[in-house]
Amino acid sequence: MRRFAADRAKYLLRRAVSSSSSSYPSLSPHSSSFPYSSASSTAFDPPSMGSFPGQSSPVTLQTINPKVLKCEYAVRGEIVTIAQRLQEQLAENPSSLPFDEILYCNIGNPQSLGQQPITFFREVLALTDHPIILDSSETQGLFSADAIERAYQILDQIPGRATGAYSHSQGVKGLRDTIAAGIEARDGFPADPNDIFLTDGASPGVHMMMQLLLRSEQDGILCPIPQYPLYSASIALHGGTLVPYYLDEATGWGLEVLELKNQLEAAKSRGVTVRALVVINPGNPTGQVLAEENQKQIVQFCKNEGLVLLADEVYQENVYVSDKQFHSFKKISRSMGYGEKDIALVSFQSVSKGYYGECGKRGGYMEVTGFSTDVKEQIYKVASVNLCSNISGQILASLVMSPPKVGDESYETYSAEKDGILSSLARRAKTLEDALNSLEGVTCNKAEGAMYLFPRIRLPEKAIKAAEAANKAPDGFYALRLLEETGIVVVPGSGFRQVPGTWHFRCTILPQEDKIPAIVERLKAFHKKFMDEYRD
């Protein structure tokens, strides 16, 4: 009966669409004149957005918030839009392009490229989302005992045992307790669940802090260059000023405190009040892992200058070198003897990265320490405007910080899945790093962590002039040609900002290991052809 009703609904919907298609054009965002395409209209042409009879549109580029126009996000910019169009073309005509698939190396989206989710995490999510199956006799044979036990624990923590209900605006208290315990186990220092705000990935936490800190364009945020475009975009949207500090490519993207001091003084001389310092560790797009001593210098700098330290630590599980390990800035500051009254620190974590790669589940948190009670009340007020983050993401964040332990039924499977993913990522990073360094005019620092490589490309003058003629940044010109000739999608370095006069691109290490040789082969062939074409 249910299937009959669904089929009937589909039939009625198809008939309604068919009968209206002769009157209304397609709203495909890829049509040449979105939202209305003259090519698809027949008997009736609705007025365009800019030509209402007798009046102009109430919304134009001239009347929208100028902060929106200023905001840019290169990771999903022009190159990706073109890639999606080419993918549609391949679907319609597989032989129409010189490649048979689009290889998305532009964004840290592991499961879209074939990475499998962690079994334990998905078992717990399934059981908590559909708890009726916990009472089924078949469940014991389908799910591990510790997943069943964890699902019962989590449901007992959620009011009404309902994952479809709103939670406390900071997140379910029991889940925050679990995360705080995980932070304490990681760092060796206490963590307070009341300092934790569960968010839909790390990005909303970043936006929340920008809303809190930025009062006008006279307020600035120190950001690394190259940077993850979330920061430049959120600073623009919230009306502040990005104060750049440049990472040193020659020393493996080193972060020099002297550079921080120089940029801080330069900002002050321009009348900008710097409110906070953003540090991304491990680095995005640059892939470096900070040394412990360097982190201590950064903490000391923030304390001396009265800056909030915004620690983006979403890649904390992604470290691929034996001589480096991840240390949270919370651990570093506490090990230096600094407590709540000494330094304001916000740490961001996400379920999207690491070995879990659950980007679409939108889970994460920020730990807010060193803020007064009255300021925390304001942060809570901002969080409450959005009611709460999604419950599945909240559950995943608690699982990430409290995975199976030795002796649990799921531990061996979990450990094998985790180690398999991380060791494969390390191999992929090394293969791509070696391939990039073999190309003429390309140098690539070692991928110590995160999910990306950020090679520098030294382009011939003829290529730079061709890019100027096409009204594109040289690395954007290179990336577009790479896409059109190989199907490989990378992000131009200009989208992350870079030292003027240098050109880069960001490439993820996420395509599955069996696809890496094809990427390397296509990249090498393209690069040689490109350099020969534009050789001075």
Side-chain angles (χ1 to χ4, degrees):
M1 182 67 184
R2 188 180 299 173
R3 180 168 181 177
F4 170 78
D7 290 344
R8 176 67 176 165
K10 289 177 183 176
Y11 166 74
L12 291 172
L13 179 61
R14 281 197 301 269
R15 193 170 71 172
V17 170
S18 174
S19 65
S20 63
S21 62
S22 61
S23 299
Y24 294 97
S26 167
L27 293 182
S28 167
H30 301 295
S31 63
S32 60
S33 55
F34 179 78
Y36 293 108
S37 171
S38 59
S40 61
S41 58
T42 54
F44 170 65
D45 256 337
S48 71
M49 290 294 287
S51 59
F52 289 96
Q55 67 180 51
S56 61
S57 168
V59 183
T60 68
L61 290 181
Q62 288 71 43
T63 61
I64 66 172
N65 187 338
K67 296 171 186 173
V68 174
L69 292 174
K70 190 177 178 182
C71 165
E72 294 181 346
Y73 190 69
V75 174
R76 290 178 182 255
E78 178 195 23
I79 300 290
V80 181
T81 301
I82 294 170
Q84 291 167 343
R85 203 170 296 148
L86 294 176
Q87 188 166 21
E88 292 176 1
Q89 182 178 332
L90 278 176
E92 294 172 3
N93 185 356
S95 61
S96 62
L97 294 170
F99 45 85
D100 56 4
E101 66 176 326
I102 302 293
L103 293 165
Y104 287 98
C105 300
N106 62 298
I107 192 168
N109 193 13
Q111 292 186 25
S112 74
L113 293 170
Q115 181 174 306
Q116 295 302 301
I118 298 297
T119 302
F120 176 79
F121 295 169
R122 286 303 184 91
E123 286 188 352
V124 175
L125 282 179
L127 292 165
T128 51
D129 265 344
H130 195 47
I132 194 171
I133 62 177
L134 284 166
D135 298 324
S136 170
S137 59
E138 296 175 341
T139 299
Q140 300 290 336
L142 294 173
F143 295 85
S144 59
D146 51 333
I148 294 170
E149 181 182 0
R150 185 73 67 91
Y152 274 119
Q153 290 173 357
I154 289 172
L155 288 169
D156 287 343
Q157 294 167 347
I158 298 174
R161 296 169 63 86
T163 59
Y166 290 135
S167 75
H168 186 281
S169 291
Q170 280 184 245
V172 174
K173 175 59 164 58
L175 300 179
R176 286 186 282 127
D177 289 339
T178 300
I179 291 169
I183 293 171
E184 187 168 336
R186 181 195 68 193
D187 293 343
F189 292 96
D192 184 346
N194 293 317
D195 292 338
I196 294 168
F197 290 75
L198 287 163
T199 51
D200 290 319
S203 300
V206 171
H207 280 286
M208 211 179 301
M209 294 315 301
M210 297 306 173
Q211 283 180 300
L212 182 82
L213 296 171
L214 295 173
R215 299 163 295 184
S216 72
E217 286 189 347
Q218 276 63 57
D219 283 338
I221 306 291
L222 272 164
C223 286
I225 302 298
Q227 53 99 32
Y228 176 45
L230 164 66
Y231 292 98
S232 56
S234 61
I235 291 168
L237 283 172
H238 298 296
T241 294
L242 186 149
V243 178
Y245 67 89
Y246 289 90
L247 302 176
D248 185 2
E249 187 169 8
T251 60
W253 300 111
L255 195 167
E256 301 293 336
V257 171
L258 179 60
E259 168 71 2
L260 296 178
K261 292 178 179 177
N262 290 340
Q263 295 295 348
L264 177 63
E265 292 306 313
K268 287 179 179 178
S269 71
R270 298 192 302 272
V272 174
T273 300
V274 177
R275 307 298 309 280
L277 167 68
V278 172
V279 180
I280 308 174
N281 181 46
N284 176 11
T286 45
Q288 83 284 13
V289 178
L290 293 177
E292 188 173 357
E293 187 57 37
N294 196 188
Q295 290 184 264
K296 290 179 179 178
Q297 294 170 350
I298 293 164
V299 168
Q300 192 64 53
F301 171 77
C302 288
K303 182 183 184 303
N304 292 347
E305 301 295 344
L307 301 179
V308 178
L309 177 51
L310 301 176
D312 183 331
E313 299 177 337
V314 303
Y315 297 100
Q316 59 189 258
E317 296 282 358
N318 300 101
V319 179
Y320 310 125
V321 289
S322 58
D323 60 334
K324 295 277 187 77
Q325 58 180 319
F326 170 79
H327 298 285
S328 75
F329 272 101
K330 167 95 173 292
K331 174 183 176 180
I332 295 294
S333 62
R334 297 298 181 262
S335 70
M336 295 171 69
Y338 295 142
E340 285 274 345
K341 296 181 179 180
D342 299 305
I343 184 169
L345 168 65
V346 183
S347 307
F348 302 100
Q349 167 65 317
S350 170
V351 306
S352 301
K353 310 305 178 184
Y355 57 89
Y356 10 94
E358 294 279 11
C359 301
K361 297 298 183 184
R362 309 310 299 135
Y365 68 81
M366 62 178 181
E367 184 185 16
V368 180
T369 60
F371 290 75
S372 63
T373 301
D374 56 349
V375 172
K376 279 189 178 176
E377 288 173 354
Q378 298 303 309
I379 299 173
Y380 175 77
K381 178 177 71 178
V382 173
S384 67
V385 170
N386 292 320
L387 298 175
C388 70
S389 60
N390 80 87
I391 304 302
S392 293
Q394 291 188 33
I395 292 170
L396 263 173
S398 76
L399 297 173
V400 162
M401 297 306 291
S402 181
K405 296 174 175 58
V406 175
D408 293 342
E409 183 181 325
S410 291
Y411 178 76
E412 286 190 10
T413 298
Y414 159 78
S415 182
E417 290 173 343
K418 173 185 174 181
D419 293 346
I421 290 168
L422 291 175
S423 60
S424 176
L425 286 172
R427 290 191 299 271
R428 286 178 251 176
K430 184 68 170 67
T431 300
L432 286 170
E433 174 196 324
D434 290 344
L436 289 164
N437 279 317
S438 73
L439 302 179
E440 178 187 356
V442 177
T443 54
C444 183
N445 281 325
K446 189 171 189 176
E448 296 179 337
M451 296 177 169
Y452 316 100
L453 294 164
F454 198 66
R456 179 177 178 180
I457 49 175
R458 292 164 178 83
L459 297 173
E461 190 62 30
K462 282 174 64 177
I464 294 173
K465 289 189 183 312
E468 290 172 355
N471 197 29
K472 296 191 181 300
D475 48 12
F477 180 73
Y478 180 94
L480 181 58
R481 286 284 302 272
L482 177 66
L483 168 63
E484 291 173 338
E485 296 184 27
T486 70
I488 298 172
V489 188
V490 298
V491 186
S494 46
F496 299 90
R497 307 196 183 190
Q498 53 201 339
V499 171
T502 67
W503 310 108
H504 302 77
F505 63 82
R506 189 187 79 164
C507 177
T508 74
I509 60 173
L510 294 175
Q512 288 300 290
E513 203 162 354
D514 61 354
K515 290 189 180 293
I516 297 295
I519 292 174
V520 168
E521 183 180 347
R522 291 188 200 182
L523 181 60
K524 285 183 173 181
F526 164 79
H527 187 79
K528 183 180 185 307
K529 178 175 176 288
F530 183 91
M531 296 297 282
D532 287 343
E533 180 180 349
Y534 292 104
R535 196 173 302 283
D536 294 328

